[in-house]
Amino acid sequence: MQLRLQLGHTTVSFLADSYVPWDSKLSAFCCPTETSVAADLTQSDTADFVYTIHLAQQIHIREQKLLRETRFFKVYTDGIHEIWYYTFPDGQIYACCREEAEGHFSIYYLQDLKEYLAGNVTLFYLAALEYRMIQKGDMILHSSYILDQGMAVLFAAPSGTGKSTQAHLWQEVRGSQIINGDRALLQKGKDGWYAGGWPMSGSSGISMPRLAPIKAVIVLSQSSQNLGHRLTAEESFEALKNEIVVRPWSTGDISLAGRQLQDFCSAIPTYAYACRKDPSAVTDLLSVLV
C-alpha cells in the first residue's frame, strides 16, 4: 500500500508492508497524479521523503547518544542518523522512526496496536514531518488559518489563547473559511509568501489543502478591549519564532529557520491584537488591517 502526498514544495510517500487503514481525509492532500490513497508499491518513487511502515513484535532502544527527551518521545542518534522513539506516559515504547538514509525512513509500530495507525494524526506524528519541512524551505506555524476574500489570515497564539475562537468568529461575521484550526504551512513562491494546508489540525479537526497568498499574521492575546497595532519586522520575528516548528538540537535547522523567518517577517504584515471573544473583535481588527 502506498500513500503519496504533496505538502508545500515537498512530496512525501508512505509505504506499508501490510494493510494500514489510511484515513480517507488524506485523499485531499494526495499528489495530483494520484487517483487513490492506495497505490501499487511497484511504482517508481521520487518523493523527497519516503517512509516505510513495518509492524514489530517489540521495539528496543539500542543507541546511546540522546538528543532530546520529552514525555512523549526520545530522539537518539547513531552518530550519523536520527532515531525517534515514541512512548506512552508510563515509558513503554510503542513506535520508532529510524532514518536509514537521506530522505528515507523506517517506521516500526507495535503489532498489537496497529489499529491506532488509522487516521492521519498518528501517521504524521510518527513521521515528525513538521520538523523536517524547514529542510525543504517551508515552515510550520502554529496558527489558525482562515481564507478571507481569497487571502490567508493567520491567527498565531499559544494554545488556549483563542486562535480557534477568532477563526470561528470570522467565519460567523465574514463568512470566512477555516482551512486549519491549528497549523499553517508557510511556503515562498515566486511572487511572495503563501499559506498552505496541513493534514494535522490539533483538536479542531479542520484541515484542507488550500493555498493562498498571506494577507496578515495576527498575534493574539486576550483583553477586555480590542486593541491592535502593526509590529516591526524585528518585533514580528520575536513574536513568531517560538511558534515555528524546528528541531531545537539542530543548529543547521535553527539557522535555516531564522533566515526564512526573517524573510517572512520583512514581507508579511504582522499585528499584535489584544481582543475580546465576541464579534466586535472581527470588525475592530478590520479597521486595524491596512
Side-chain angles (χ1 to χ4, degrees):
M1 300 289 291
Q2 181 183 49
L3 179 69
R4 183 192 291 264
L5 308 177
Q6 186 66 47
L7 303 170
H9 295 106
T10 304
T11 303
V12 183
S13 283
F14 291 94
L15 314 175
D17 59 0
S18 61
Y19 175 71
V20 175
W22 306 120
D23 190 330
S24 60
K25 293 180 181 179
L26 290 174
S27 296
F29 292 89
C30 285
C31 293
T33 56
E34 296 295 324
T35 58
S36 170
V37 296
D40 191 340
L41 278 179
T42 61
Q43 293 180 349
S44 61
D45 203 314
T46 57
D48 298 291
F49 295 126
V50 179
Y51 293 85
T52 303
I53 301 172
H54 309 274
L55 297 178
Q57 296 299 319
Q58 53 186 335
I59 301 170
H60 298 292
I61 296 175
R62 62 179 191 233
E63 293 75 28
Q64 295 184 347
K65 186 175 181 180
L66 179 66
L67 297 175
R68 178 78 166 179
E69 181 175 5
T70 73
R71 291 177 54 202
F72 307 105
F73 63 81
K74 300 177 182 179
V75 183
Y76 285 80
T77 180
D78 60 6
I80 301 175
H81 300 126
E82 288 181 0
I83 305 91
W84 293 53
Y85 291 92
Y86 295 87
T87 61
F88 291 124
D90 63 3
Q92 179 190 0
I93 299 170
Y94 65 89
C96 80
C97 180
R98 180 178 298 277
E99 184 182 14
E100 307 290 2
E102 185 176 358
H104 290 260
F105 305 85
S106 292
I107 293 177
Y108 296 89
Y109 201 84
L110 288 182
Q111 170 81 37
D112 293 343
L113 301 175
K114 67 178 181 179
E115 65 270 18
Y116 292 106
L117 280 174
N120 55 355
V121 173
T122 300
L123 186 65
F124 276 75
Y125 179 62
L126 297 180
L129 268 172
E130 292 186 0
Y131 292 88
R132 308 192 199 283
M133 297 305 290
I134 190 63
Q135 300 168 28
K136 301 300 177 182
D138 297 335
M139 298 182 289
I140 299 295
L141 176 69
H142 282 299
S143 65
S144 291
Y145 165 18
I146 65 169
L147 190 65
D148 182 70
Q149 298 183 356
M151 299 287 286
V153 178
L154 309 180
F155 296 100
S159 298
T161 306
K163 57 182 183 288
S164 294
T165 299
Q166 292 301 316
H168 281 94
L169 285 172
W170 277 65
Q171 183 181 53
E172 174 187 328
V173 175
R174 299 264 295 174
S176 306
Q177 184 179 17
I178 301 175
I179 303 301
N180 195 300
D182 193 62
R183 292 166 171 82
L185 176 67
L186 308 182
Q187 59 184 95
K188 190 173 183 180
K190 293 181 180 179
D191 56 348
W193 283 91
Y194 287 76
W198 188 252
M200 291 185 70
S201 57
S203 60
S204 74
I206 303 173
S207 62
M208 290 180 281
R210 290 295 300 273
L211 185 68
I214 302 172
K215 179 178 182 178
V217 179
I218 314 301
V219 181
L220 295 171
S221 60
Q222 296 179 12
S223 175
S224 60
Q225 295 181 315
N226 299 323
L227 299 170
H229 66 278
R230 184 167 175 173
L231 300 176
T232 66
E234 291 77 14
E235 291 170 335
S236 174
F237 182 90
E238 290 300 316
L240 297 180
K241 66 180 182 180
N242 292 328
E243 303 303 326
I244 295 292
V245 180
V246 66
R247 295 180 298 170
W249 60 88
S250 171
T251 56
D253 282 10
I254 292 172
S255 177
L256 180 57
R259 294 194 299 272
Q260 293 279 357
L261 186 57
Q262 284 179 338
D263 183 274
F264 178 86
C265 293
S266 297
I268 300 299
T270 302
Y271 297 82
Y273 190 49
C275 61
R276 298 161 55 92
K277 292 185 176 181
D278 62 40
S280 69
V282 178
T283 54
D284 288 348
L285 179 56
L286 285 171
S287 66
V288 174
L289 298 179
V290 293

